[in-house]
Amino acid sequence: MTDSPALAARYGAPRRGFTRQRARIVIVVALVVGIAVAAWLTYTSTVRAGVSSNDIGFSTPDPWHAEIDFQVTKDASATAVCAVHALSDAYAVVGFKEVEIGPDAGGSGTTTSLQRVPLRTETAAVSGVVDSCWLKGT
C-alpha cells in the first residue's frame, strides 16, 4: 500500500535507500580523511616542532630535592625549552622548572644531548618527567 500511485502523487516518490555503492564510497572517503588527519597531527607534533624528548631517569637525594635525567633531540643550532615536573604519589606537581637547552657548539644537523635537571620540591617526589619541549620563540 505504501507504493501506491496515489501516495506517490501526494507525497512524492519514496527516497532511495543507501545502496552498497554509496556505503563503500562513504567508508573510503572517511578512511582517507582519517588517514590525512592522523598524518597532519603526526607532522605538526614531531617534524614541525623540531624537538623531542625522552625520560631517562629520576632520583630523590632527599624529600626536598629531585633530579630528572632526560634526552633532548633537536637541530644543533636551535635553542629548546623543556618543562620538567616532579610528581607526588597523588600525581600532583611538587616541583617544576623550565630548562633552556642552547645550541650545540660545533654541531650540525640533528643532535641528541643528555640533560640532568635538579629541582626543589614542596614534598617528597615519587617520579619526575619532561612534560613537553618546544623551540624557543615558537
Side-chain angles (χ1 to χ4, degrees):
M1 189 156 252
T2 59
D3 294 336
S4 73
L7 288 176
R10 182 179 226 178
Y11 298 109
R15 287 192 231 168
R16 291 180 27 206
F18 216 53
T19 64
R20 285 185 183 220
Q21 181 69 19
R22 285 185 184 173
R24 285 183 186 143
I25 291 171
V26 168
I27 290 171
V28 168
V29 168
L31 284 173
V32 169
V33 168
I35 291 169
V37 167
W40 179 76
L41 289 174
T42 301
Y43 172 76
T44 58
S45 66
T46 57
V47 175
R48 227 174 110 197
V51 63
S52 65
S53 64
N54 292 319
D55 295 324
I56 300 295
F58 166 79
S59 64
T60 53
D62 60 56
W64 309 111
H65 296 90
E67 290 182 342
I68 293 101
D69 297 329
F70 62 98
Q71 289 180 333
V72 175
T73 302
K74 64 177 184 62
D75 185 88
S77 62
T79 298
V81 179
C82 293
V84 182
H85 293 176
L87 304 172
S88 72
D89 55 356
Y91 301 107
V93 176
V94 295
F96 173 81
K97 187 184 246 183
E98 283 188 359
V99 181
E100 189 171 301
I101 299 121
D104 297 333
S108 63
T110 302
T111 61
T112 300
S113 62
L114 182 63
Q115 304 293 318
R116 174 170 282 169
V117 176
L119 289 176
R120 294 190 59 137
T121 59
E122 296 175 10
T123 61
V126 297
S127 67
V129 296
V130 177
D131 181 56
S132 61
C133 291
W134 60 93
L135 293 178
K136 188 173 182 178
T138 58

